């Protein structure tokens, strides 16, 4: 027992000496990096808009002017970008992280991308002799702030084990899923389900109101039954008030649905419900709601009803 305790202590001590890079300080990246800084890690940050780095610098983080310089100065670099294009650019574009990597270093991409993008980034990272782990997260702004994210990882097992203490600070659970691409696929399936659930929930709220029921009572009923999900009780009250404070931007939910549909197409798996939900999110985006929370999808259904009435 004492040997086990000693080895765990040694592993923790080794992890705490890691120099950690963090690329991308948006709604998710900023609180994730902040939790690492507050836990005493040596963190170096970068973001396209430097002003987003300032709060973390004030907390003790260092700053470098490019992903290349961050990767070169750190043992492990995390990246949290908005979409596959950004993830590719930051990893392998001009002054990208790949040009700062070398054997012994690690790159952990926690962005939500498709498997093809993840495999491309992985191949370029491995060409440098560095290790690669994809680790997209399930969770939005509040779980990121509270260190309650779920990591869906795949890739180099040695890197997974090396960064496990870091993942435990930023999240409540982690899954190792094997080959690169599996983490990306799992995240897309999860977000496909979530997007479809929110679209259906929106229909239910509007239908209840249309037939004279109190939608706030519907939220309570749903929250106490077999179909209860934290999302409903969390989002429902503000949706009824037509308020959509951004925890997960609608444009990102639509992007994930699009990528999930592409994944389904690649294996000839029918996904008619997700396909229909995607169209509703596309309508919401066309109404300028892309930067609002994904629960704003309800507005696209309101406008359809108004057009028909």
């Amino acid at each position: 027992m004492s040997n086990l305790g000693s080895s765990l202590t040694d592993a923790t001590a080794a992890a705490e000496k890691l120099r950690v890079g963090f690329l991308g300080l948006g709604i998710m990246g900023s609180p994730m990096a902040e939790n690492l800084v507050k836990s005493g890690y040596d963190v170096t940050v970068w973001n396209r808009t430097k002003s987003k780095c300032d709060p973390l610098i004030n907390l003790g983080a260092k700053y470098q002017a490019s992903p290349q310089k961050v990767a070169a100065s750190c043992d492990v670099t995390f990246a949290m970008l908005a979409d596959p294009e950004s993830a590719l650019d930051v990893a392998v574009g001009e002054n990208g992280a790949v040009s700062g990597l070398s054997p012994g270093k690690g790159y952990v991409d926690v962005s939500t991308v498709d498997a093809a993008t993840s495999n491309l980034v992985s191949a370029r990272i491995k060409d440098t002799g560095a290790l690669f782990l994809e680790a997209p997260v399930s969770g939005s702004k509040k779980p990121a702030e509270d260190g309650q994210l779920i990591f869906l990882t795949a890739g180099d097992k040695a890197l997974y084990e090396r960064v496990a203490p870091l993942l435990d600070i930023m999240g409540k659970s982690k899954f190792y899923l094997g080959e690169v691409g599996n983490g990306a696929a799992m995240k897309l399936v999860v977000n496909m389900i979530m997007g479809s659930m929110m679209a259906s929930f929106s229909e239910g709220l509007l239908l209840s109101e249309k037939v004279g029921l109190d939608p706030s009572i519907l939220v309570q009923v749903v929250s106490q039954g077999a179909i209860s999900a934290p999302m409903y009780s969390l989002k429902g009250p503000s949706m009824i008030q037509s308020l959509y404070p951004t925890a997960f931007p609608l444009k990102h939910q639509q992007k994930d649905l699009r990528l999930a549909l592409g994944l389904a197409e690649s294996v000839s798996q029918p996904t008619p419900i997700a396909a229909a939900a995607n169209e509703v999110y596309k309508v919401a985006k066309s109404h300028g709601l892309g930067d609002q929370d994904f629960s704003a999808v309800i507005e696209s259904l309101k406008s359809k009803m108004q057009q028909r009435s």
Side-chain angles (χ1 to χ4, degrees):
M1 197 71 172
S2 59
N3 287 341
L4 176 59
S6 176
S7 64
L8 288 174
T9 301
D10 291 345
T12 302
E16 286 175 351
K17 293 175 184 176
L18 286 176
R19 295 168 298 168
V20 182
F22 211 104
L23 310 174
L25 300 174
I27 290 174
M28 298 292 290
S30 186
M32 291 170 72
E34 182 175 326
N35 284 335
L36 294 177
V37 174
K38 288 182 174 178
S39 295
Y41 281 87
D42 180 346
V43 179
T44 301
V45 297
W46 171 88
N47 192 76
R48 281 196 179 94
T49 306
K50 184 188 180 289
S51 60
K52 290 190 175 181
C53 298
D54 292 341
L56 286 158
I57 294 170
N58 291 337
L59 286 174
K62 300 171 184 173
Y63 170 78
Q64 289 287 357
S66 70
Q68 174 188 14
K69 291 181 177 179
V70 171
S73 66
C74 295
D75 301 307
V76 175
T77 299
F78 287 82
M80 172 55 96
L81 290 313
D83 50 46
E85 294 75 23
S86 299
L88 266 177
D89 185 49
V90 168
V92 304
E94 185 177 359
N95 297 316
V98 70
S99 52
L101 292 170
S102 58
K105 293 183 181 291
Y107 190 81
V108 184
D109 195 346
V110 294
S111 316
T112 298
V113 301
D114 56 287
T117 298
S118 198
N119 275 292
L120 177 56
V121 171
S122 174
R124 292 291 301 277
I125 298 300
K126 285 181 166 297
D127 284 344
T128 71
L131 300 179
F132 176 77
L133 190 73
E134 63 172 358
V137 300
S138 181
S140 56
K141 181 181 179 182
K142 188 67 164 60
E145 292 172 345
D146 296 343
Q148 294 291 297
L149 297 169
I150 302 167
F151 287 91
L152 309 172
T153 75
D156 285 304
K157 187 70 177 290
L159 182 56
Y160 169 75
E161 292 170 350
R162 189 180 189 192
V163 302
L166 298 166
L167 302 183
D168 289 340
I169 286 168
M170 296 184 285
K172 65 179 180 180
S173 60
K174 55 189 182 295
F175 295 86
Y176 180 74
L177 304 170
E179 295 180 0
V180 170
N182 288 347
M186 181 68 82
K187 176 61 190 297
L188 292 179
V189 171
V190 169
N191 277 19
M192 180 187 79
I193 295 170
M194 182 174 73
S196 300
M197 286 171 63
M198 179 55 77
S200 181
F201 182 53
S202 297
E203 288 183 340
L205 287 176
L206 292 174
L207 178 59
S208 69
E209 190 171 25
K210 197 86 168 186
V211 298
L213 299 173
D214 183 344
S216 63
I217 300 297
L218 173 66
V219 173
Q220 294 179 48
V221 172
V222 166
S223 298
Q224 294 182 36
I227 61 170
S228 173
M231 179 176 76
Y232 297 145
S233 55
L234 181 66
K235 305 282 187 183
S238 59
M239 291 170 71
I240 293 167
Q241 299 176 63
S242 300
L243 299 173
Y244 315 105
T246 307
F248 180 45
L250 185 144
K251 63 185 179 184
H252 293 168
Q253 174 63 79
Q254 194 276 315
K255 177 261 297 182
D256 292 348
L257 278 166
R258 171 174 58 81
L259 294 176
L261 293 173
L263 177 66
E265 177 68 21
S266 72
V267 292
S268 301
Q269 172 61 44
T271 48
I273 294 170
N278 184 48
E279 292 303 314
V280 181
Y281 284 93
K282 284 162 64 177
V283 170
K285 265 181 65 178
S286 73
H287 290 173
L289 297 168
D291 289 322
Q292 296 202 46
D293 190 73
F294 79 113
S295 55
V297 70
I298 192 172
E299 291 295 328
S300 63
L301 297 168
K302 289 180 184 177
S303 53
K304 279 185 178 181
M305 287 183 174
Q306 289 164 359
Q307 289 165 11
R308 289 172 183 165
S309 57

